[in-house]
Amino acid sequence: MAPQQNWFHPRGALARDGWESVVDDSLEGWQHTGIRVGALTEGRSLGFEGVDVERMIVPLSGDVHVEYVTSEGSHGSLDLAGRASVFDGPPDVAYTGVGTSVALTGTGRVAVAEAPATEALDVQVLRKADIPVEIRGAGRSTRQVHNYGTPAGLRAQKLIVCEVITPAENWSSYPAHKHDESVPGHESKLEEIYYFESAVSRGVTAPLEADPFGMFATYSSPAGQIDINALVRTGDIALVPFGYHGPAVAAPGYDLYYLNVMAGPDPERVWNISDDPAHGWVRAEWESQEPDPRLPYTETPKEASR
């Protein structure tokens, strides 16, 4: 049997062109989605050319200034209000269409979700105050979802983007599910990227040697063989071309975050999934459980001045 493709990449393993990580169709077996993750520092910019790709700019920490030139040659700029960390509620986000080149400046970290596309849509900005915060699941399966790049919240051709916060000891991306077959009205065919961050849980005091982590798993479906069973830390990336994926588990003492980027060949931009039949019954159990009272995580209040 031929060795399986490597679908898990530790932080920095995909470094390129000044970015900490770059996922695109230059990776074998990958064609419908992409992501760039990088650090912004004073006096240094990150950018990308206006090719046949639509994108969403997501501040991970700090504010981001965006300068852009559209496919029609129009120049523009905008400022995205960020956050202290990915555990401090949603940031402002921006969408740029096919053919738009961009330069990013600021201080902090930024992610850019990508999907090859053909329609040149207008630049869009979603402000943090307008982004709905969804509490999904219940009990130890409670998680917080920011659906700013989904079909209901963003006009795009292919790109679907959301982010998930899972507090310590909770499970998310569960029950394990898949979206690797085109079954209209039931299941979509979508590649998916998981970009992870982890931190000491909110309100917890930890020693300096603390090493925040979570766990993430995938396994095979009829569409293909895949096997990820990994400890995940800040900056790690998992690619899911097919197969069942989940759970993502936050270890005791540590909160877990992931940014999801999805797109695929289907004509309809929709996220339809199929649960693993062995585990889908768990969803019904949530009806008798209360959501985790620790959520939602919003902006951490600043300490009062002394």
Side-chain angles (χ1 to χ4, degrees), residues 267-296:
E268 184 180 11
R269 176 175 167 250
V270 63
W271 181 65
N272 287 330
I273 66 171
S274 296
D275 286 336
D276 183 334
H279 308 304
W281 64 271
V282 171
R283 291 187 189 274
E285 296 296 296
W286 299 343
E287 297 176 5
S288 61
Q289 301 173 11
E290 294 295 323
D292 191 323
R294 292 176 293 177
L295 298 178

Side-chain angles (χ1 to χ4, degrees), residues 2 18 24 58 71-72 126 130 146-147 198 207 216 221-222 227 251 257-259 304:
D24 59 19
V58 181
S71 59
E72 298 177 345
L126 286 73
D130 300 322
H146 303 153
N147 287 313
S198 186
F216 178 70
S221 73
D227 181 13
Y257 161 96
Y258 50 88
L259 177 67

Side-chain angles (χ1 to χ4, degrees), residues 83 85-91 144 146 163 165 202 297-299:
R83 49 195 169 176
S85 78
V86 294
F87 301 101
D88 287 89
Q144 175 175 325
H146 303 153
E163 59 184 11
I165 292 96
R202 179 172 288 200
Y297 279 4
T298 55
E299 184 175 2

Side-chain angles (χ1 to χ4, degrees), residues 36 148 262:
R36 297 168 183 265
Y148 44 64
M262 290 174 280

